[in-house]
Amino acid sequence: MGKLNLHTIFILCSLLLLAYTSYVSGKTVTPVDKWFKKIKKSSTPKFKIIEFYVQDIVSGEGQTVFPVGYSNISFTSPTNFGITVVADDRVTVGRDPKSPDLARGQGMAALADLEDRVLYLNVVFYFTQGKYKGSSVAVLGRDPMLVNSRELSITGGTGAFRSARGVTWVTNCSPYSPTGYTCFKYTLYFTHF
Ligand SMILES: *[C@@H]1O[C@H](CO)[C@@H](O)[C@H](O)[C@H]1NC(C)=O
């Protein structure tokens, strides 16, 4: 074991100081850091129910849903298997399409069942108005849109809804139209921190 002389002590101290200053200056404290620290101390979930209406327009004026892909059996399979769309739907406070905006429903859906008309749906509801402006909730699930009510997962969230987990109950508030306009009512039940 070598002897500790003044010279090696000086070098060790310099290295430690250098490591410490680069650690401090390199670390940016983000809002997520602060939130994570807070929930580490007290992680009581908040329970939330939010209701809104999704205005889904597949063709014509104000179209918000656009096909982006097909499979080679999309037009021969009884369920149009593989048709994939990307949507940026208006999300409103009320059922009426003229009702004020609340959010956007941005995501993808694919017909993903060989036997029934069922969508695999993956959509982020991004709030553009009100007290949740800038926050989002992610919804993922199997969506049999011809069944009048169904349940999808809530898999996550950002901003006011960080760590969201729950389910959303979806009903059609106008007759389902795969080529025109349909209104969907979403009621989200979730916990977040
Ligand atoms: C679709 O494509 C796959 C190969 O990717 C092929 O095996 C299959 O026979 C095709 N089906 C039809 C109906 O063309």
Side-chain angles (χ1 to χ4, degrees), residues 1-10 12:
M1 208 156 110
K3 272 190 225 148
L4 279 181
N5 57 31
L6 269 180
H7 185 69
T8 43
I9 288 173
F10 176 74
L12 277 176

Side-chain angles (χ1 to χ4, degrees), residues 1-118:
M1 208 156 110
K3 272 190 225 148
L4 279 181
N5 57 31
L6 269 180
H7 185 69
T8 43
I9 288 173
F10 176 74
I11 288 177
L12 277 176
C13 287
S14 310
L15 282 175
L16 276 175
L17 189 69
L18 191 71
Y20 178 71
T21 47
S22 64
Y23 170 74
V24 167
S25 61
K27 184 150 172 66
T28 320
V29 179
T30 68
V32 180
D33 286 314
K34 288 181 190 157
W35 164 80
F36 204 61
K37 214 168 156 180
K38 210 176 101 188
I39 65 162
K40 233 163 86 181
K41 279 189 209 137
S42 144
S43 54
T44 315
K46 297 180 181 94
F47 291 79
K48 192 139 289 159
I49 299 179
I50 295 179
E51 202 176 275
F52 52 65
Y53 295 81
V54 178
Q55 312 288 344
D56 196 69
I57 307 171
V58 178
S59 66
E61 207 193 320
Q63 183 176 357
T64 56
V65 183
F66 295 85
V68 294
Y70 310 92
S71 72
N72 64 355
I73 60 161
S74 286
F75 302 103
T76 51
S77 96
T79 60
N80 296 130
F81 185 88
I83 290 183
T84 304
V85 300
V86 174
D88 182 7
D89 283 352
R90 281 181 61 230
V91 174
T92 54
V93 174
R95 189 226 165 289
D96 193 306
K98 292 193 202 87
S99 167
D101 283 344
L102 179 66
R104 310 289 304 191
Q106 300 173 330
M108 291 184 83
L111 285 159
D113 190 311
L114 288 164
E115 278 153 27
D116 294 306
R117 270 187 87 84
V118 174

